[in-house]
């Protein structure tokens, strides 16, 4: 029992530390979409495109070494060699990227059509973020969840605090003169956003610097080759995932006319953030349940428990889908502060459903993790990325961000179906498809009726939500009673 409590505690702490940075972008949306901060959706569109490149290059600069570190740290007897080899590898690759990127920053800026002053800041941030990858992994490997979480939370607090300072307070403080006048520049809001990010990343590296002071700089060429062999498939899967997650903004920038691209990206990105309610639920659920998948893999008939887990996930996810859709128009003025963005609100149910499919995919993926067929995860992610790219390339010019929203839904839905198909072949799990299908069908139909047929008719929306909640309670009451009894017996 003490081991289980320890596992739950660590899972909760790591989950909190993982979810909070994801919430950062959500918490800053009301600030960025305020017309007093960023003057138009086009300005927010510029920020969104740059953050899309962040996601992609963070994956490339990590090149799967973090995952390889965990695998070999638990496998090898000489743990100092694992820590030293992975750290030296990332230091050299990060510095190499940094030097080359700085030399060619003007060419990069011209190629991707982003102001060079932003490119310079991005290069520095990417370097700082890459240099803390292994230190954070080392904290997790050595079971130091509190230090890990505290540093992650400090990063978020500094980032939010500096955004508020630069974008809201600084202009008023210039009236006092002195220091504040020296750092204030008019029409510098986008740069301030990345300066805040840079300072937060620098402070994080300072907090982790003791790792580098104490490190035994031991490099094994043989071990490095083994780690890279393990890391490359992880890199491929990571790039595919980043394409599915954010590459549509980059394609919108490249394929739409220059006079509308940033505006469409800004509207699309702001309304996309409303799907974060589903993303946070799926992420927290996955972080909490993955240890259970592995710890129960060798118990008697674990497949039955895995089936129940997916059933509960779909039930709760369906409730979140319908709730957010019903109250989306109530939420929008609090999260997306300017009406200039609301034109893209029609994508909200589509993106919510897409992220719901992604959450189901992660739950279904238990089969290839348990059976050590993780290459299927890479294959399926690549298929999703190809779907994303093909649909966007073909339809963006005619349908704009609408094509990107539909592409996201189709990609994640196909990934979900592929995982289910191969899972039945290699590790059959007795999912209650009738009940899961019922939850999905009713929540999707109710959501689309509420949003598109009866928009802002809260009487109809709330009635549909109550009916669906009643259905879930009725069908799950026996399962809930059994879970409560088990919990009481354990206590």
């Amino acid at each position: 029992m003490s081991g289980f409590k320890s596992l739950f505690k660590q899972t909760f702490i790591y989950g909190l530390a993982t979810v909070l940075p994801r919430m950062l972008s959500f918490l800053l949306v009301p600030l960025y979409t305020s017309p007093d901060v960023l003057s138009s959706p086009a300005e927010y569109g510029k920020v969104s495109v740059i953050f899309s490149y962040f996601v992609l290059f963070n994956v490339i600069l990590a090149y799967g070494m973090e995952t390889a570190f965990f695998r070999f740290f638990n496998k090898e007897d000489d743990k100092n060699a694992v820590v030293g080899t992975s750290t030296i590898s990332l230091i050299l690759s990060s510095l190499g990227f940094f030097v080359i990127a700085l030399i060619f920053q003007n060419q990069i800026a011209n190629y991707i059509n982003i102001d060079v002053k932003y490119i310079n800041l991005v290069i520095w941030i990417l370097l700082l973020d890459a240099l803390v990858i292994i230190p954070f992994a080392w904290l997790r490997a050595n079971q130091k969840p509190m230090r890990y979480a505290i540093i992650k939370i400090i990063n978020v607090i500094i980032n939010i605090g500096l955004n508020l300072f630069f974008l809201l307070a600084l202009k008023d403080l210039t009236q006092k003169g002195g220091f504040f006048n020296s750092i204030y520049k008019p029409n510098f809001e986008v740069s301030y956003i990345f300066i805040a990010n840079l300072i937060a990343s620098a402070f994080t590296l300072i907090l982790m610097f003791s790792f580098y002071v104490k490190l035994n700089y031991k490099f094994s060429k043989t071990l490095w080759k083994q780690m890279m062999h393990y890391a490359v498939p992880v890199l491929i899967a990571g790039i595919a995932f980043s394409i599915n997650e954010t590459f549509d903004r980059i394609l919108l920038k490249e394929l739409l006319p220059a006079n509308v691209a940033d505006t469409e990206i800004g509207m699309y990105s702001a309304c996309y953030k409303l799907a974060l309610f589903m993303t946070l639920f799926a992420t927290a659920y996955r972080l909490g349940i993955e240890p259970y998948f592995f710890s129960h893999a060798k118990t008697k008939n674990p497949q039955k428990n895995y089936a129940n887990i997916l059933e509960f996930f779909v039930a709760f996810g369906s409730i979140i889908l319908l709730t957010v859709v019903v109250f989306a128009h109530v939420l929008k003025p609090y999260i997306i502060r300017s009406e200039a963005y609301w034109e893209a609100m029609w994508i909200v149910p589509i993106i919510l459903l897409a992220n719901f499919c992604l959450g189901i995919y992660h739950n279904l993926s238990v089969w290839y993790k348990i059976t050590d067929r993780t290459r299927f995860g890479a294959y399926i992610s690549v298929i999703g990325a190809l779907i994303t790219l093909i649909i966007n390339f073909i339809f963006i010019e005619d349908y704009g961000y609408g094509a990107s929203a539909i592409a996201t839904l189709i990609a994640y839905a196909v990934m979900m179906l592929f995982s289910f198909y191969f899972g039945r072949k290699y590790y059959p799990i007795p999912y209650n498809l009738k009940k899961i299908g019922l939850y999905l069908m009713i929540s999707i139909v109710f959501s689309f009726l509420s949003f598109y047929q009866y928009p802002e008719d809260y009487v109809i929306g709330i009635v549909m939500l109550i009916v669906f909640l009643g259905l879930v309670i009725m069908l799950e009451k026996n399962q809930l009673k059994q879970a409560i009894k088990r919990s009481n017996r354990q206590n």
Side-chain angles (χ1 to χ4, degrees):
M1 181 62 69
S2 61
F4 176 78
K5 288 181 178 178
S6 174
L7 175 62
F8 177 80
K9 178 182 175 182
Q10 291 194 30
T11 301
F12 173 77
I13 294 170
Y14 287 132
L16 180 66
T18 303
V19 168
L20 275 177
R22 285 177 173 266
M23 286 189 66
L24 174 64
S25 61
F26 180 73
L27 295 172
L28 291 173
V29 170
L31 178 65
Y32 294 162
T33 56
S34 172
D36 297 328
V37 176
L38 296 180
S39 58
S40 67
E43 289 293 292
Y44 184 56
K46 293 177 183 177
V47 175
S48 299
V49 170
I50 295 171
F51 276 119
S52 297
Y53 280 110
F54 264 119
V55 173
L56 177 61
F57 277 93
N58 278 330
V59 171
I60 292 172
L61 287 175
Y63 52 88
M65 189 55 71
E66 180 184 24
T67 306
F69 170 86
F70 284 118
R71 178 72 177 92
F72 284 84
F73 189 86
N74 291 296
K75 175 184 175 184
E76 298 291 322
D77 293 328
D78 190 351
K79 300 189 186 304
N80 286 332
V82 176
V83 178
T85 300
S86 56
T87 302
I88 292 170
S89 179
L90 271 170
I91 289 174
L92 293 176
S93 60
S94 301
L95 290 176
F97 159 82
F98 176 73
V99 171
I100 294 171
L102 279 184
I103 292 172
F104 294 103
Q105 60 181 311
N106 289 305
Q107 290 86 343
I108 296 170
N110 290 331
Y111 182 75
I112 63 177
N113 195 27
I114 293 175
D115 197 311
V116 70
K117 64 185 178 184
Y118 306 141
I119 297 296
N120 188 275
L121 290 168
V122 167
I123 292 168
W124 279 96
I125 295 167
L126 287 171
L127 171 68
L128 295 173
D129 288 348
L131 291 177
V132 297
I133 290 172
I134 298 302
F136 273 125
W138 183 86
L139 287 177
R140 292 178 63 187
N142 285 275
Q143 298 185 1
K144 297 181 183 292
M146 285 303 298
R147 180 170 171 79
Y148 176 93
I150 288 170
I151 295 173
K152 286 281 189 179
I153 292 169
I154 288 173
N155 177 281
V156 172
I157 292 171
I158 291 173
N159 208 331
I160 292 176
L162 287 174
N163 268 275
L164 293 173
F165 170 73
F166 285 130
L167 300 177
L168 292 182
L170 182 57
K171 187 175 181 180
D172 294 333
L173 290 170
T174 56
Q175 297 175 6
K176 298 180 180 180
F179 170 73
F180 298 113
N181 271 334
S182 66
I183 62 172
Y184 174 73
K185 293 183 180 180
N187 303 316
F188 203 65
E189 289 80 9
V190 175
S191 291
Y192 281 138
I193 290 170
F194 295 109
I195 290 170
N197 200 319
L198 175 63
I199 295 172
S201 295
F203 197 82
T204 300
L205 180 58
I206 291 170
L207 291 176
M208 300 295 289
F209 198 71
S210 60
F211 169 85
Y212 286 100
V213 174
K214 299 175 183 178
L215 179 66
N216 181 357
Y217 288 90
K218 181 178 181 181
F219 186 84
S220 168
K221 186 176 180 180
T222 302
L223 177 61
W224 181 80
K225 288 181 179 179
Q226 293 173 354
M227 295 182 77
M228 286 301 298
H229 181 74
Y230 184 89
V232 168
V234 178
L235 169 62
I236 294 170
I239 291 173
F241 181 78
S242 68
I243 289 172
N244 288 329
E245 190 174 16
T246 62
F247 206 73
D248 49 7
R249 279 73 153 184
I250 296 171
L251 293 176
L252 286 166
K253 177 78 172 178
E254 295 298 321
L255 299 175
L256 287 176
N259 61 324
V260 300
D262 287 335
T263 299
E264 292 225 356
I265 296 166
M267 292 188 295
Y268 175 62
S269 299
C271 294
Y272 197 106
K273 295 297 183 185
L274 286 173
L276 197 69
F277 291 102
M278 183 66 75
T279 305
L280 291 177
F281 162 69
T283 301
Y285 196 95
R286 177 170 57 85
L287 288 168
I289 215 66
E290 271 191 345
Y292 180 89
F293 285 156
F294 291 105
S295 63
H296 283 69
K298 295 182 179 179
T299 60
K300 185 179 180 180
N301 193 21
Q303 291 91 337
K304 184 178 180 181
N305 289 329
Y306 298 156
N308 290 335
I309 287 168
L310 180 63
E311 185 179 314
F312 279 122
F313 177 84
V314 173
F316 283 114
S318 297
I319 292 170
I320 292 172
L321 170 66
L322 185 53
T323 302
V324 175
V325 167
V326 168
F327 296 105
H329 292 290
V330 176
L331 294 169
K332 72 181 180 185
Y334 297 100
I335 298 170
I336 306 168
R337 303 300 295 274
S338 172
E339 293 184 17
Y341 295 84
W342 294 357
E343 179 185 317
M345 277 295 294
W346 68 271
I347 70 162
V348 171
I350 297 170
I351 299 300
L352 276 165
L353 181 57
N355 281 277
F356 191 15
C357 290
L358 180 62
I360 295 173
Y361 163 74
H362 284 308
N363 275 267
L364 291 169
S365 68
V366 60
W367 70 267
Y368 65 71
K369 294 176 180 177
I370 294 298
T371 61
D372 288 332
R373 291 184 171 92
T374 51
R375 67 185 184 280
F376 279 91
Y379 299 154
I380 294 171
S381 294
V382 168
I383 290 170
L386 289 174
I387 292 170
T388 298
L389 292 172
I390 291 168
I391 294 177
N392 276 286
F393 271 117
I394 294 174
F395 295 107
I396 273 180
E397 289 188 6
D398 292 327
Y399 299 101
Y401 57 77
S404 298
I406 297 296
T408 303
L409 174 58
I410 294 174
Y412 288 152
V414 169
M415 289 169 62
M416 175 185 71
L417 293 172
F418 266 109
S419 187
F420 174 72
Y421 172 79
F422 287 111
R424 293 186 71 176
K425 181 177 180 181
Y426 292 105
Y427 191 80
I429 296 174
Y431 295 120
N432 190 333
L433 296 180
K434 289 184 179 179
K435 193 184 290 187
I436 290 171
L438 182 67
Y439 290 154
L440 283 172
M441 181 184 68
I442 294 178
S443 64
I444 291 170
V445 170
F446 279 6
S447 294
F448 278 70
L449 283 174
S450 173
F451 196 89
Y452 298 114
Q453 192 68 33
Y454 304 103
E456 299 187 71
D457 190 330
Y458 298 108
V459 173
I460 292 177
I462 291 171
V463 167
M464 286 193 288
L465 181 58
I466 292 171
V467 169
F468 186 73
L469 284 170
L471 174 68
V472 172
I473 292 170
M474 181 181 70
L475 294 179
E476 300 296 338
K477 62 182 179 182
N478 291 331
Q479 294 272 33
L480 290 171
K481 286 179 181 178
Q482 291 175 12
I484 293 170
K485 287 180 181 179
R486 285 196 299 269
S487 177
N488 290 335
R489 283 199 299 268
Q490 290 173 352
N491 294 330

